Amino acid sequence: MEYRHLGRTGLKVSPLCLGTMNFGPETTEQDSYRIMDMALERGVNFFDTANVYGRKPGEGVTEQIVGRWLEKNPGNRDKIVLATKVYGKMGDGPNDQKLSAYHIRKACEDSLRRLKTDHIDLYQMHHIDRATPWEEVWQAMEGLVREGKVLYVGSSNFAGWNIAQANTLAAQRHFMGLVSEQSLYNLSARTIELEVIPACQALGLGLIPWSPLGGGLLGGALQKASEGRRASENMQKQIDQHRPQLERYEALCRELGESPADVALAWLLHQPAVTAPIIGPRTVEQLEGALGALDIKLTDEILNKLDEIWPGPGGQAPEAYAW
């Protein structure tokens, strides 16, 4: 396993990040343990969760599963980089969501309790909160860092200008600010190449793509159109919309002798701004398959063919749409 620095930090993480969103709703607790065990055994040291995962508002079901796994295996805590998130609704009160200092502090304490740990390695803001000033957000985060409850701060679903604004104000406070951004990014969704990726590269943020397979679209959707999520009405619409591209894409993958899912992950791993795509296996077998992407080397010729099939927005802004 070749580890990568998380943005401009000295922290090293695996090139794949284990996403835990399925733990609880889709994957039993025992199977979740097996997935985490295998990930750690295979060198994946970057685990990502969120306080809202688990589909039971306010309960933090997925965090609790991760916490019980850590409690059963106390030696594992110092072997992983543990990331979670704050923003989503965690109660019925007016201050049980978003990024007020009040909610950040309470949400952090609750996540620490559920995760059964004394610190969060990467505490990520799950979305931008336009109603809370950055002075308030950074004051709250600085306090958590000073107390040793949080080591690094990241963002998720931020626009490029949000990242620039946040880190400009953090620098004025002599605070490190954001070190990572978690964004929607895959072959079929490349909008962040306009401004988010340039902002990350300029300001030293590691990029952590979520939905690397486009919700299953890039995982062999034509071959498996009658299975699982691909059988849903929404997925069928996406397949119909992208059918010509999918036909070319899956044909290219067959030529390479690789699965479409592995090629989609490998493409992300070849993007210079990317630190670690988030994989969200529901089974041990899915985890095993995703790890295979680490061994795929895509030539410039293949990367160009993928760009032809799944073109991006044309580069970064403003050249992508102006001059």
Side-chain angles (χ1 to χ4, degrees):
M1 187 73 70
E2 294 184 9
Y3 295 89
R4 301 176 172 186
H5 285 283
L6 181 62
R8 66 191 185 280
T9 75
L11 183 69
K12 287 190 174 183
V13 296
S14 50
L16 290 177
C17 177
L18 180 66
T20 62
M21 185 187 292
N22 288 315
F23 294 0
E26 302 289 341
T27 306
T28 67
E29 184 153 341
Q30 290 305 312
D31 284 345
S32 300
Y33 291 172
R34 282 190 278 271
I35 290 170
M36 289 186 279
D37 287 339
M38 174 181 277
L40 193 55
E41 288 168 5
R42 296 290 295 274
V44 176
N45 75 335
F46 194 10
F47 288 24
D48 176 77
T49 189
N51 60 359
V52 292
Y53 290 171
R55 297 184 191 168
K56 292 184 179 179
E59 294 188 23
V61 170
T62 303
E63 283 189 333
Q64 289 188 50
I65 291 173
V66 175
R68 287 191 288 269
W69 177 76
L70 288 172
E71 187 175 43
K72 289 175 180 289
N73 307 274
N76 288 348
R77 180 62 188 92
D78 291 335
K79 297 177 182 177
I80 66 170
V81 174
L82 181 59
T84 192
K85 308 181 192 76
V86 56
Y87 177 88
K89 186 175 181 179
M90 293 300 291
D92 295 328
N95 295 305
D96 288 337
Q97 60 184 319
K98 299 193 176 179
L99 299 177
S100 68
Y102 180 101
H103 181 61
I104 287 174
R105 172 163 289 279
K106 183 178 187 303
C108 181
E109 296 288 355
D110 289 345
S111 286
L112 290 170
R113 174 177 47 78
R114 287 188 292 264
L115 291 166
K116 300 187 186 302
T117 186
D118 63 355
H119 70 284
I120 294 163
D121 298 311
L122 178 63
Y123 201 35
Q124 301 159 110
M125 292 171 271
H126 214 159
H127 202 280
I128 187 70
D129 180 1
R130 297 179 179 88
T132 303
W134 275 110
E135 291 82 359
E136 180 178 353
V137 173
W138 284 139
Q139 177 177 283
M141 291 296 187
E142 287 164 9
L144 294 175
V145 170
R146 186 167 55 249
E147 293 166 10
K149 295 174 181 176
V150 167
L151 299 186
Y152 302 94
V153 181
S155 59
S156 181
N157 305 306
F158 274 30
W161 84 274
N162 298 143
I163 293 168
Q165 182 187 39
N167 273 18
T168 296
L169 293 172
Q172 292 174 5
R173 300 174 65 91
H174 306 289
F175 187 61
M176 191 170 193
L178 302 173
V179 304
S180 64
E181 160 62 18
Q182 193 174 132
S183 281
L184 172 64
Y185 190 38
N186 58 58
L187 275 166
S188 66
R190 299 176 58 172
T191 304
I192 67 168
E193 291 175 4
L194 287 168
E195 300 198 24
V196 173
I197 285 180
C200 289
Q201 291 178 311
L203 296 171
L205 276 68
L207 181 63
I208 310 169
W210 60 265
S211 194
L213 306 185
L217 185 71
L218 300 169
L222 292 181
Q223 300 169 5
K224 307 173 183 178
S226 62
E227 301 175 15
R229 287 180 296 175
R230 297 172 186 85
S232 71
E233 183 179 350
N234 181 57
M235 181 53 66
Q236 290 296 335
K237 287 181 180 178
Q238 290 191 56
I239 291 172
D240 290 341
Q241 178 184 351
H242 296 288
R243 186 172 295 277
Q245 291 168 286
L246 289 170
E247 289 173 348
R248 293 173 62 197
Y249 175 63
E250 293 188 17
L252 176 60
C253 293
R254 286 194 293 273
E255 289 178 24
L256 295 174
E258 303 289 354
S259 74
D262 287 354
V263 172
L265 279 173
W267 178 81
L268 281 171
L269 291 166
H270 281 70
Q271 303 310 304
V274 170
T275 297
I278 296 176
I279 55 173
R282 295 191 301 277
T283 65
V284 169
E285 291 74 22
Q286 287 183 350
L287 172 61
E288 185 72 40
L291 291 170
L294 296 172
D295 298 323
I296 298 176
K297 304 300 180 186
L298 300 177
T299 64
D300 289 342
E301 179 185 3
I302 297 301
L303 290 169
N304 288 335
K305 286 183 178 179
L306 289 169
D307 279 338
E308 290 173 6
I309 297 170
W310 302 103
Q316 68 181 52
E319 291 87 350
Y321 50 78
W323 57 270

